[in-house]
């Protein structure tokens, strides 16, 4: 059975949720998570979210 509603929420975002990650600076990647980095709110990708969760240092 197909999953017709998968990703429906990101289609309403600007550029379908894609942009530049605030941590790793990758371009045209899905930036769906908001994280506080050095006292500022930044949108980050899921790879950086997992790295922060697993204890990798946050560097800019």
């Amino acid at each position: 059975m197909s999953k017709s509603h998968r990703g429906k929420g990101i289609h309403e975002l600007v550029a379908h949720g894609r942009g530049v990650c605030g941590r790793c600076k990758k371009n045209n990647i899905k930036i769906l998570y908001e994280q506080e980095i050095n006292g500022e709110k930044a949108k980050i990708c899921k790879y950086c979210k997992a790295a922060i969760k697993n204890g990798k240092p946050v560097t800019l």
Side-chain angles (χ1 to χ4, degrees), residues 6-50:
R6 182 178 286 178
K8 182 180 177 188
I10 65 172
H11 288 289
E12 299 167 357
L13 299 175
V14 177
H16 301 291
R18 293 184 178 267
V20 179
C21 178
R23 182 175 178 261
C24 65
K25 306 298 186 213
K26 287 183 184 175
N27 193 13
N28 202 20
I29 194 166
K30 290 181 190 172
I31 48 171
L32 303 175
Y33 305 97
E34 217 173 87
Q35 183 76 27
E36 187 170 324
I37 300 175
N38 296 334
E40 296 179 3
K41 292 269 184 172
K43 297 280 263 180
I44 60 173
C45 62
K46 76 176 190 177
Y47 304 108
C48 292
K49 177 76 171 174

